[in-house]
Amino acid sequence: MAKLVDDKTLKIPTLSAIEIERIEPLDIMGLLRSLWYGKSLIAGCTILALVAAAYYAFAIAQPRFAAVTTLKIETTFSPGLDLDQALANPPTDQSSLNTEVAVLRSRHLLERMVHELDLTNDPAFNRYLTPVAPWSVTGMRTRARNLLSGTVAAPPDNAAILDKTVDNLATALSVDKLRDTYVFRITATTGDADMSARIADTLARLYLADQVAAKQAATETAFNWLSERVYALQLELEAKETAVNDIIMANRASDAATLDTLSRQSIEAQERLRDIRRALQEAEVKLTSFDAAVTPASQPARQRVLADIRHYTDQAAALETFQSGVNSQLAAQSASMVRLQQLRREAEATRVLYEAFLARLQHTNVQRGLGQADSRILALAAPGKYVAPRKMLILLIAAMLGMALGVSLVLGRQAMRKGFSGTEALADATDVPVLAQIPRVKLRKPAALLDYLNAKPTSALAEAMRNLRTSLLLADPGKVPQVILSTSSVPGEGKTTQSIALAHNLASLGKSVLLVEADMRQPSFGTHLQCQGGDLGQVVTGEIRLEDAIARDPRLPADVLPSHTMHQNPADLFAGSGFAAFVQEVRERYDFIIIDAPPVLQVPDTRLLAQHADAVLYAVRWERTDKRLVLAGQRALADIRAPITGMVLGQVDIRRMRRYGAVPMAAYGQPHYQN
C-alpha cells in the first residue's frame, strides 16, 4: 500500500551557502535542558540497570574459579639419547606450536578426560542430570518446539550425553602459548576450585601420555614392519644361496680353472684339425699327380697315398667330434658361470640389505620401551582462584549502560520531534496560518488518488481538501487567488498530491481549472494521472498552442498541462517573457490555475514561479519535515517578496496526534492562525 506522498524523488536536499548559514546551529543549552527535563527517565533506567545487574551478580551468577597448569615443549635432547631420538624431537615453528595447541583442545583428549574424571555424572558438565524448570527459558523453548513439531523429543542416548559433556568441558578450558616461548598454559574455569585444578592437571597428564603412546605405537608399527621385512629377506637370501650351490653342484663350475682347461683343449683340437686338413690336401694333390701319370712303378706309392688320405680323413672326423663336444661343454660352463656370478651378486646384495634391516630391527627392539614425551610439566595447577563474576565491574558497566539508555531515550524522543506534531506548533514556528491538515491515506499506488476521491466524497481526505479550499479562498477577503502555487521544502512532502486533490476539489464547484506541472526536472504527473498531452516547455516557447497541449484525465474534471521534456534550463524558461505571457493567457481562460512547483530548497525555479502566483501553499509533512528546512524555505520565498499564503500539514496520523496531546483540526473547522 502506497502512502499519500509525493514520490518524485528521494534525493537529499541541497541548500545554498546562505540558506545553510540561516539554519539554526546545534543548541547545546537546549540539549542540556532536554536532558535535565528527562532526568527522571535517565535515573530510572540507571536504577533499573543497577538492580538487574545486582540481582544477576549476587543471586544468579555462579562463582567461577580458574586453575592454570603450564607445559613446555622440549627443544633439546639429552646426551644419552641417540641421533634417531634427537631427530624425533618436535619442530618448534609457529605452525607446529599452534598445532600442539589444537591437539591440547582436541576432542579425543577431552573424551578421555570425561571418562577418567567421570564428568558424565557431574551436573556441572552433564546438564541432563539437572531437571529443567517448567517455566525456565529452556523449558518453555522445549515445550514450544514439541508443540510445533507435534512430537516429544526422545531422551538423549549415551552418545549424545557424552557429546554434550565434551562440549561443556571444552567451554571450560582454554589453551594459549606464552609469547616468544615454548610454554603452553592450560586454564580450566569451573564452579569448583579443586575441580578446576584437577581438570587442568589431568589434561596436561593425558597430553603427555598421548605423546608417549603415539611414539610407542609408531615404534611398535616400525618393529612389526621390520620383523616382517627381515624374515622376508632371510628367506630370499637362503633361496639365492641354495640356487648358487645348486649351480655349482650341477655344473662343477666352482671356479674359472675348468673354463680355462676346456678353452685350451678347444684351441689345441682346432690347431691339430687344421694341420691334418693341410696334410690331407697335400695327399690329395699327390694322388691327383699319380692319377695323371699311371705307371706300374707308381702303384705302390699311389696306394700309400690313398692310405694316408683315409688316415687323415678319420683323424679329422675324430677331432671335429672332439672339438664339438669341447665347445658344447665350454658354452654350458660359460652360461653356468655367468648365472653363478649373477646369483652371487644378488645374494650378496640381499645379505647386505638383510644385515642392515636386522641391525635396525635390533635397534628398534631396544627402543621399544624407551619412549618419552616431547613436553614436560613445568608447574601443576594450584586450587582455582576466583575470577568471576566481577561484581563491581558488572555494576559499573550496568550503571553506564543504564545511563546511556536513558540519555538515548531522551535524545531519541527529542530527535523524533524535529518535525511538527500539530498545527499550533507549525503556526508558531513560521508565523504563517495553517490552512488545513491532510490525513494520511494508504493507497495501492499514486494513480489511485482520484479513484479514492471520486469513490469517497465524504472521506476525511475529501473533507480536508474542502477545508483547504475554503481557507484558501477566504485567506484574503479582498481578493480571490487565481494562480495558486503548491510547493514544499524538499521532495516527498505531498505537494503534488495536494495540487491534484485541490484541482479536483475546485473543479467540483463548476469552475474551469488548469493544473500545470512546473516541476520539469522531475515530472511525476505520469504516475498520478492517466493522460497524455503536450509539454509546458513547448507551450511557453511557442512550439505548440495551449489548446493542443492540454490533456484530460476522465476522472479529473480539470485541464492538465504536463511536462515531458526539458529543452532548456527551467529557471531560464520561467524567468523569460514567454512564461509571463503564458500566465497571462491562462488567466484569461481559466478561473483557477494550480501550479505544481519544485521544492524550494533544491532549485531556484519555485522562486521565479512564485512571482506570478496569487497564493503560495507550502506543504509540510507531519512529524517528518525538519523545522530548519521549513524556515529556510520560508526565508527563501520571503527574500523575493513572495510570502507564503498558508501552510498545509500533510500526511497526518490522527490517532498518533491525539496521543501527543495535539488537537486535530476538524474537517469543517477554520484554519489555525497564530495569535
Side-chain angles (χ1 to χ4, degrees), residues 170-450:
T171 303
L173 280 168
S174 66
V175 180
D176 60 302
K177 183 182 74 68
L178 297 183
R179 186 175 181 181
D180 298 330
T181 68
Y182 301 128
V183 176
F184 296 110
R185 184 168 53 193
I186 302 173
T187 305
T189 305
T190 69
D192 185 278
D194 294 332
M195 176 58 74
S196 297
R198 288 179 59 196
I199 289 176
D201 291 342
T202 302
L203 179 59
R205 180 169 50 80
L206 290 177
Y207 172 68
L208 298 182
D210 184 71
Q211 285 187 338
V212 174
K215 284 193 173 184
Q216 289 179 345
T219 303
E220 191 66 28
T221 301
F223 178 80
N224 294 334
W225 183 82
L226 287 172
S227 298
E228 295 176 359
R229 188 59 181 157
V230 167
Y231 180 71
L233 288 173
Q234 182 181 359
L235 295 180
E236 183 180 352
L237 179 60
E238 292 176 354
K240 290 181 178 179
E241 289 180 344
T242 301
V244 170
N245 293 331
D246 291 342
I247 291 177
I248 293 175
M249 294 300 296
N251 298 283
R252 293 185 178 88
S254 59
D255 52 33
T258 303
L259 287 177
D260 293 340
T261 302
L262 291 175
S263 180
R264 285 196 302 270
Q265 288 179 355
S266 177
I267 294 172
E268 291 175 355
Q270 186 175 1
E271 292 177 351
R272 289 186 61 194
L273 181 60
R274 186 168 54 251
D275 294 339
I276 291 174
R277 286 176 178 172
R278 189 184 307 112
L280 179 60
Q281 290 177 356
E282 292 176 355
E284 289 176 350
V285 171
K286 290 181 180 181
L287 181 60
T288 302
S289 62
F290 284 134
D291 291 339
V294 179
T295 61
S298 61
Q299 287 299 322
R302 184 176 181 276
Q303 291 299 325
R304 287 194 301 271
V305 172
L306 287 174
D308 291 339
I309 290 174
R310 285 193 295 270
H311 176 70
Y312 292 148
T313 301
D314 292 341
Q315 283 185 343
L319 285 173
E320 288 178 355
T321 301
F322 175 76
Q323 186 181 22
S324 176
V326 170
N327 289 339
S328 298
Q329 291 181 13
L330 181 60
Q333 288 293 333
S334 298
S336 298
M337 196 64 183
V338 171
R339 177 60 178 163
L340 177 62
Q341 292 176 351
Q342 180 180 358
L343 287 176
R344 282 177 173 172
R345 286 193 297 270
E346 293 178 357
E348 184 62 25
T350 303
R351 185 189 306 279
V352 172
L353 190 60
Y354 168 74
E355 291 175 353
F357 272 87
L358 181 60
R360 186 68 179 178
L361 175 64
Q362 294 172 348
H363 182 71
T364 304
N365 187 34
V366 172
Q367 292 184 341
R368 290 172 70 182
L370 299 180
Q372 64 178 19
D374 295 328
S375 307
R376 62 186 176 93
I377 297 177
L378 291 181
L380 293 173
K385 296 182 179 180
Y386 181 88
V387 292
R390 301 176 64 179
K391 298 180 177 63
M392 296 308 298
L393 180 61
I394 291 176
L395 293 178
L396 178 60
I397 294 176
M400 296 175 62
L401 292 177
M403 187 178 298
L405 176 61
V407 171
S408 299
L409 292 176
V410 171
L411 296 181
R413 183 176 61 184
Q414 184 70 17
M416 291 178 63
R417 294 183 180 178
K418 284 184 177 180
F420 298 97
S421 58
T423 56
E424 182 178 1
L426 179 57
D428 291 341
T430 60
D431 197 20
V432 175
V434 180
L435 302 183
Q437 60 183 28
I438 311 300
R440 178 181 301 170
V441 179
K442 293 184 178 180
L443 300 174
R444 291 181 292 105
K445 53 185 179 180
L449 171 63
L450 291 175

